Structure formats: structure tokens, C-alpha cells
């Protein structure tokens, strides 16, 4: 508001050509618009591939390595539009698996001696252990259509990068903070209450780096999870496949 008052004051002066002042006004107005939450989300969406390309993505599978404080495990994840998700962590003949099959979820932890799955419903069904969304499509792609709301909180510096802070309120009521590089619009960090019940509602910071293009979609191949700046988990992606055939039964629990 102060900027626009300043421009109006200049317009009333005869010391500067009105055309130049008008150009200044338009420039300032454009910059103000560029810093709205919606404009930032649009540029981030373009950065990760664009809405049209995301509509063409029907499945995503990935594998790589989880590092829990120096203890490393291989992992594989499967996603299928709109909201089928599964991940498996095998190690020394045992495994942990969790999935969401569209309406309910299930989990089995052979590391803890479990031999039969636990059925998950409600929020627990959608709460993946490593904070993953069960929806295949990025949360910000068509976010208004999905019923989510965003607000521009301001700017902050994350790992020496100046970032826009965007507050997201999901349709479910859950709130999260996202930090986007002001120059590239890549997502640098997400801050949210952990979905992992073992972490007792701790505030989790997730840092995203090593972005790579996979069939036109830009994906971070490294994620670091921290609580109170203490490392909890590092995920290193080794390979990602788009639109490979994945049957629905991959996500279903065999009863």
C-alpha cells in the first residue's frame, strides 16, 4: 500500500513525465501480482513439468535407499492415479510394507515379527510412514479443484536460499508450510506435523534437492527429514519410471 501511495504522489508532481510514472506503476503492480500465492504456485507447477503433462502421468514407480541414522535399507514405491500407493522395504529376508488401495489401507511389519497385516482406516490409512501423499498428482497441481487453499506467508531463508513461504490448508483441514526458491521456484523445504505416530506429532522439516527430469517431470532425487535440526531419515532415489504398467492388485491386500 505504501508503494502505491508513493506512485500516486509522484503522479501528482510535474517533475516526472506521466508516461514514465505510468510505466513504473504497471511494473510495481506486476511485481505485486507476481508475489501472490497463486502466481508462485503456478510457477512451481511449471517448474515441475506443468499441469498438462501431469495429467498424462498415470503411474510412478521408484526405487532407492532409505538411510535411518546410518542404517540403510533398499525401498520400492508404487503410485497409480488417482490415489493408490504402496511402498516396500526389504532387508535380510524380512520386509515392511504399507499400502493404500483407494478406500482403506494396510500395513505389515515383519521386522517386528508381524505375520498378518493390520487394516488401516481414516487418516491412518492415508498416513504413509515417510510422509508420502497417496495421491499420485502433486498436491499443488489443480489445488483449487481439489479443495485446498494457499496463502503467501512471506519470505524466509532456507539453507542460504531466499524462499517464498506458502501456507497450504488441505481440504481435510491439515496445514503445512512450503518454501519455494524465489529465483527458480523449486520446492526447497516442507514443514508439517509428522504423520508417523511413533514421532508423536513432532514438527518435521523435509528438504528436497538433486532435482532431475524424468519424462518431462522434475523430481527431487534426495530428501532429508529432520526434527529440531536432527537427522531422522535420508531418502536417495536411484530410478524412477513413469507410466509403467502396474495392476490394481499390486495395492490390494490378499485376504
Amino acid at each position: 500500500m505504501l508503494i502505491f501511495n508513493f506512485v500516486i504522489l509522484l503522479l501528482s508532481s510535474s517533475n516526472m513525465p506521466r508516461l514514465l510514472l505510468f510505466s513504473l506503476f504497471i511494473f510495481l503492480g506486476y511485481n505485486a501480482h507476481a508475489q501472490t500465492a497463486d502466481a508462485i504456485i503456478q510457477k512451481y507447477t511449471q517448474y515441475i513439468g506443468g499441469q498438462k503433462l501431469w495429467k498424462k502421468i498415470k503411474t510412478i514407480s521408484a526405487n532407492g535407499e532409505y538411510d535411518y541414522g546410518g542404517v540403510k535399507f533398499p525401498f520400492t514405491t508404487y503410485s497409480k492415479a488417482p490415489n493408490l500407493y504402496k511402498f516396500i522395504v526389504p532387508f535380510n529376508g524380512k520386509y515392511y510394507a504399507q499400502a493404500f488401495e483407494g478406500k482403506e489401507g494396510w500395513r505389515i511389519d515383519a521386522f517386528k515379527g508381524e505375520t498378518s497385516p493390520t487394516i488401516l482406516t481414516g487418516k491412518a490409512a492415508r498416513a504413509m510412514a515417510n510422509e508420502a501423499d497417496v495421491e499420485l498428482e502433486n498436491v499443488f497441481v489443480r489445488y483449487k479443484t481439489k479443495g485446498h487453499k494457499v496463502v503467501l506467508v512471506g519470505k524466509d531463508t532456507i539453507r542460504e536460499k531466499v524462499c517464498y513461504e506458502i501456507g497450504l490448508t488441505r481440504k481435510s483441514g491439515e496445514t503445512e508450510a512450503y518454501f519455494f526458491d524465489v529465483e527458480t521456484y523449486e520446492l526447497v523445504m516442507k514443514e508439517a506435523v509428522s504423520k508417523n505416530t511413533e514421532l508423536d506429532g513432532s514438527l518435521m522439516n523435509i528438504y528436497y534437492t538433486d532435482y532431475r527430469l524424468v519424462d518431462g517431470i522434475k523430481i527431487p532425487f534426495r530428501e532429508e527429514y529432520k526434527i529440531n535440526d536432527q537427522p531422522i531419515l535420508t531418502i536417495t532415489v536411484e530410478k524412477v519410471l513413469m507410466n509403467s504398467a502396474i495392476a490394481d492388485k499390486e495395492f490390494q491386500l490378499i485376504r
Side-chain angles (χ1 to χ4, degrees):
M1 183 62 71
L2 290 175
I3 291 176
F4 289 102
N5 286 342
F6 172 69
V7 172
I8 291 171
L9 178 62
L10 287 177
L11 283 170
S12 65
S13 171
S14 60
N15 295 327
M16 184 178 290
R18 294 184 64 82
L19 182 58
L20 178 58
L21 284 169
F22 183 74
S23 298
L24 176 62
F25 183 86
I26 294 297
F27 173 75
L28 291 173
Y30 172 79
N31 278 346
H33 173 73
Q35 293 182 6
T36 65
D38 189 56
I40 293 167
I41 296 307
Q42 287 181 16
K43 290 182 179 179
Y44 167 66
T45 301
Q46 293 171 0
Y47 174 81
I48 60 174
Q51 180 174 315
K52 290 183 179 180
L53 189 54
W54 271 93
K55 283 184 178 180
K56 298 178 182 179
I57 305 301
K58 303 304 179 184
T59 69
I60 300 176
S61 59
N63 61 62
E65 183 180 75
Y66 291 154
D67 184 341
Y68 290 96
V71 181
K72 299 179 180 181
F73 304 88
F75 76 86
T76 301
T77 63
Y78 304 94
S79 298
K80 186 173 184 178
N83 61 352
L84 304 180
Y85 187 85
K86 179 181 180 181
F87 72 92
I88 304 172
V89 182
F91 187 72
N92 286 343
K94 297 183 178 181
Y95 69 95
Y96 178 98
Q98 186 171 343
F100 182 74
E101 54 183 31
K103 294 183 179 179
E104 64 179 12
W106 56 270
R107 177 187 67 226
I108 184 167
D109 189 350
F111 296 115
K112 294 182 177 179
E114 295 178 1
T115 56
S116 59
T118 299
I119 305 300
L120 305 171
T121 59
K123 288 185 177 180
R126 304 172 69 90
M128 296 293 113
N130 294 314
E131 316 300 321
D133 285 324
V134 295
E135 290 82 6
L136 177 144
E137 189 175 75
N138 184 283
V139 66
F140 288 109
V141 175
R142 301 183 303 110
Y143 75 91
K144 292 180 181 178
T145 303
K146 297 171 184 175
H148 306 326
K149 296 179 181 179
V150 299
V151 61
L152 175 57
V153 178
K155 290 183 179 180
D156 202 348
T157 300
I158 306 296
R159 292 187 167 180
E160 299 183 351
K161 292 184 177 181
V162 179
C163 298
Y164 292 116
E165 179 181 352
I166 297 290
L168 170 72
T169 301
R170 294 179 182 254
K171 185 178 180 180
S172 63
E174 297 172 292
T175 59
E176 302 158 353
Y178 292 79
F179 299 81
F180 301 93
D181 189 309
V182 299
E183 295 182 358
T184 64
Y185 292 92
E186 76 176 27
L187 176 61
V188 177
M189 188 185 82
K190 170 186 173 182
E191 184 176 77
V193 173
S194 174
K195 297 175 183 177
N196 191 333
T197 56
E198 294 181 359
L199 296 177
D200 195 27
S202 298
L203 194 62
M204 176 84 76
N205 290 337
I206 307 174
Y207 299 88
Y208 303 91
T209 55
D210 192 14
Y211 281 85
R212 303 183 193 179
L213 274 175
V214 180
D215 295 340
I217 299 294
K218 196 163 286 187
I219 295 175
F221 270 55
R222 182 178 175 86
E223 300 178 8
E224 298 173 64
Y225 296 68
K226 292 187 175 185
I227 294 177
N228 293 326
D229 208 32
Q230 296 299 312
I232 303 297
L233 166 69
T234 299
I235 297 178
T236 303
V237 177
E238 295 175 359
K239 187 176 181 180
V240 176
L241 292 177
M242 300 286 187
N243 289 329
S244 59
I246 304 176
D248 287 355
K249 65 179 182 180
E250 181 68 46
F251 308 90
Q252 297 169 356
L253 176 64
I254 306 299
R255 293 179 171 85

